Amino acid sequence: MLWLIAGLAVFLGIHSLRMLAPGWRDARIQAMGEGPWKGVYSLVSIAGLILLVWGYTQARPEADILFVPPVWTRHLAWLLMALSFVALMVANLRAGRLKPLLKHPMLLAVKLWAFAHLLANGDSASALLFGAFLVWAVINRIAVKRRDTPLPPPGPVVNDIAAVASGLVLWALFIFWAHEWLFGVSPVV
């Protein structure tokens, strides 16, 4: 599990700089410029993501079973993942009524994704991976609330319709095809 832990440390570490070391982060942006900073940030993020995915695939077959999830948790995970994909699209598309209502839809998407996967997987590698993301998202949401970041003004409802429709399409693609193709595990079986 060493590579999984290393990947989590790198990926979540770089994504935690704004809440843990905002002064250091701002000084780096000032010294490097925003473009180069985003480049370094992206490279470190990609390296962390590769490490944690590789580490998870290495750790999962040998991971201890903590519990055997009941069948109903799979169905609840499907529902939570549908909501997660909708929140993801709300975060990435123009604001409608949902974006200011959800406040920070990207963090909500991460929390729903992590919780859904904690419900559906009972091994220690999954508990580490998805538990770390859930804890990170909760702490980050608290930090964002303390920063008092202004919310976007509400936009037209058509933007919400686009977010919900595209989120559900992405969810269906993931459930019925992409999850197994990317990760070798079908959530439908």
Side-chain angles (χ1 to χ4, degrees), residues 2-189:
L2 181 61
W3 294 114
L4 172 57
I5 294 167
L8 285 167
V10 171
F11 188 83
L12 294 178
I14 194 74
H15 283 85
S16 299
L17 287 177
R18 188 167 186 186
M19 69 176 156
L20 297 177
W24 183 88
R25 175 187 171 271
D26 294 344
R28 295 293 71 73
I29 294 171
Q30 186 86 14
M32 297 171 70
E34 193 165 338
W37 167 255
K38 285 183 178 180
V40 169
Y41 186 94
S42 297
L43 288 174
V44 171
S45 295
I46 290 167
L49 184 62
I50 289 168
L51 268 176
L52 75 85
V53 168
W54 186 72
Y56 180 68
T57 58
Q58 298 300 310
R60 189 153 192 244
E62 299 170 6
D64 294 329
I65 301 299
L66 304 175
F67 67 96
V68 177
V71 173
W72 63 267
T73 61
R74 180 178 298 158
H75 301 114
L76 181 56
W78 292 345
L79 172 64
L80 292 172
M81 285 307 302
L83 297 173
S84 177
F85 274 104
V86 169
L88 176 70
M89 295 313 293
V90 168
N92 285 292
L93 296 179
R94 289 187 175 166
R97 302 284 190 241
L98 288 175
K99 192 173 274 193
L101 179 71
L102 297 179
K103 298 188 179 174
H104 300 284
M106 181 62 79
L107 291 174
L108 176 61
V110 172
K111 288 187 279 190
L112 290 168
W113 167 81
F115 185 64
H117 284 78
L118 282 171
L119 285 174
N121 297 283
D123 60 279
S124 58
S126 296
L128 177 61
L129 174 65
F130 302 115
F133 270 93
L134 182 57
V135 168
W136 173 83
V138 168
I139 292 169
N140 200 345
R141 176 62 181 93
I142 293 166
V144 168
K145 186 174 183 175
R146 288 186 178 161
R147 275 198 309 263
D148 201 26
T149 307
L151 298 174
V157 173
V158 70
N159 293 346
D160 295 329
I161 293 168
V164 170
S166 59
L168 292 176
V169 166
L170 280 174
W171 170 78
L173 284 171
F174 243 80
I175 289 289
F176 296 108
W177 177 73
H179 198 280
E180 184 173 17
W181 181 73
L182 287 168
F183 308 113
V185 178
S186 173
V188 179
V189 179

